[in-house]
Amino acid sequence: MTVDGPRSTAPDMVDVVALGESMVTFLPSVPGRLADVPSFDRGIGGAESNVACVLAAAGHVVRWVGRVGADGFGDHLTEAIGAYGVDVSAVRRDPDRPTGVYFRTAGDRATDAHEVAYYRAGSAASAMSVRNMDLDTIRSGRVLHLSGITPALSADCLALMRELTTRRPGRPLVSFDVNHRPGLWRDAEDGPEVLLELARGADLVFVGEDEAWGLGGPEAVRAALPEPELLVVKQGATGATAFHRTAGADGTQATHVTTVPALTVDVVAAVGAGDAFAAGFLSATLRGLPVRERLRHGHLMAAAALTAPGDLATPPARHHADRLAALDDAAWGRLRLGPGWTQAGERAEEEVRTP
């Protein structure tokens, strides 16, 4: 898979457009139950805006599109995301609906070893629709990145996602992270079916093995989802497997399977890693790297998130990540990354050791 067309210098053309809801996040000042935490620190959260921030920090031209309230929390979100270098000029303010917020304890979202309280019902983002969003702006990137969180917010959001994942000539490469959050769906049984429908309309799909419709291993997921040109099945601490098609000179297509093991990481907080993985993979895709290197860059960006306390972490410098991604299989398998590794720079070789 390649991203068609050269990078444009036009001010309205960017590498990636990410569309979705971002919320103000309140993180506990001390460990404990939400009922016992006396105060919270404010941050930002949102799968698509997380991807946008990581890509911008990695040197790409990125635009986040969404809706926030005409309130102080909306101000904070646009200013904080913009501070990462993300273009927020297409974010719309809603005078009648608030910016979504949520509170969470420390823990692992993937295993539900945490508490979270969402206050997003009726949020500005839930009012996104085909009628009130600028579709030309949304499609103004080489890549359009979406996630399965947006269609769960409202019927209008679902209709917008169906419009954006409809295959039509001239659209950007559509990237879709399944991101199944059962608690967001009014009818929990609707979520898997809708997400599978939307994934079938995308060009590049990210899905965790644990959220892949109960199908089992990567091969079963690919059998149920043959449409995307590139499918990435994330297998947690095991690694990730990519299924990708190539066209031959005679017009026939061949499917290739590439698996890259995950890194050994000294985990600080298991939040934000999935978004970071998608950002790393997309960054390498924009650069035209082979699929094996795309998976490795995904793992490296995920490792940056895992070794930092918040959802967003400083990514490694490009030359640093490229050097680590180029390691032979044995050295990659010995690599162990801990807090601060993204600042290691030229000391990266010191990190290649037997755990």
Side-chain angles (χ1 to χ4, degrees):
M1 171 185 287
T2 58
V3 181
D4 292 336
R7 177 169 168 171
S8 172
T9 58
D12 59 343
M13 183 69 180
V14 297
D15 291 331
V16 179
V17 172
L19 175 138
E21 180 175 37
S22 190
M23 294 179 292
V24 173
T25 309
F26 290 96
L27 308 173
S29 57
V30 295
R33 303 181 308 155
L34 284 178
D36 301 327
V37 174
S39 60
F40 295 81
D41 296 320
R42 185 180 63 177
I44 60 174
E48 302 86 358
S49 58
N50 284 348
V51 171
C53 289
V54 175
L55 282 168
H60 297 282
V61 182
V62 189
R63 176 177 294 135
W64 171 55
V65 178
R67 289 176 71 87
V68 298
D71 50 33
F73 288 150
D75 293 340
H76 173 65
L77 279 176
T78 53
E79 291 168 6
I81 294 170
Y84 279 87
V86 176
D87 177 358
V88 294
S89 62
V91 176
R92 295 294 173 256
R93 310 301 292 266
D94 191 319
D96 302 317
R97 299 175 179 85
T99 303
V101 302
Y102 73 100
F103 296 76
R104 69 170 173 83
T105 58
D108 186 352
R109 269 193 302 228
T111 60
D112 286 334
H114 71 298
E115 290 179 81
V116 62
Y118 287 106
Y119 297 90
R120 73 198 310 177
S123 70
S126 71
M128 290 189 296
S129 72
V130 174
R131 299 181 304 279
N132 63 22
M133 302 299 287
D134 185 341
L135 299 183
D136 288 338
T137 297
I138 293 171
R139 294 177 173 131
S140 64
R142 298 165 64 196
V143 174
L144 170 59
H145 181 69
L146 309 167
S147 95
I149 295 173
T150 303
L153 300 180
S154 69
D156 279 342
C157 284
L158 173 55
L160 175 62
M161 290 290 289
R162 282 176 167 150
E163 167 65 25
L164 295 175
T165 54
T166 297
R167 296 183 182 276
R168 53 171 48 89
R171 77 173 191 178
L173 185 150
V174 175
S175 165
F176 181 69
D177 192 337
V178 169
N179 243 328
H180 182 210
R181 305 283 176 83
L184 292 180
W185 292 87
R186 180 168 299 179
D187 186 337
E189 295 182 358
D190 288 344
E193 181 179 348
V194 170
L195 295 175
L196 185 58
E197 170 203 336
L198 296 173
R200 285 174 171 151
D203 303 300
L204 165 59
V205 172
F206 301 97
V207 61
E209 193 173 41
D210 59 343
E211 62 181 354
W213 306 283
L215 295 171
E219 291 77 13
V221 179
R222 183 53 164 175
L225 192 56
E227 294 87 354
E229 184 178 341
L230 207 160
L231 169 69
V232 178
V233 181
K234 298 176 291 182
Q235 299 162 272
T238 300
T241 297
F243 298 85
H244 47 110
R245 291 196 298 266
T246 57
D250 59 355
T252 60
Q253 291 192 329
T255 297
H256 307 272
V257 183
T258 305
T259 298
V260 171
L263 293 161
T264 301
V265 178
D266 298 328
V267 177
V268 172
V271 293
D275 301 332
F277 181 95
F281 193 96
L282 286 171
S283 174
T285 299
L286 287 161
R287 296 169 60 201
L289 300 183
V291 171
R292 174 177 172 273
E293 279 65 37
R294 299 182 199 187
L295 289 168
R296 285 192 167 192
H297 277 276
H299 285 315
L300 288 165
M301 287 293 197
L306 290 168
T307 53
D311 285 30
L312 291 167
T314 302
R318 183 172 291 183
H319 72 277
H320 185 184
D322 283 345
R323 186 169 59 249
L324 296 181
L327 293 172
D328 61 41
D329 289 343
W332 178 264
R334 293 193 302 269
L335 193 62
R336 180 167 187 162
L337 302 175
W341 75 269
T342 59
Q343 283 77 49
E346 299 303 324
R347 299 196 308 277
E349 289 76 14
E350 298 174 11
E351 299 155 357
V352 182
R353 62 185 187 275
T354 301

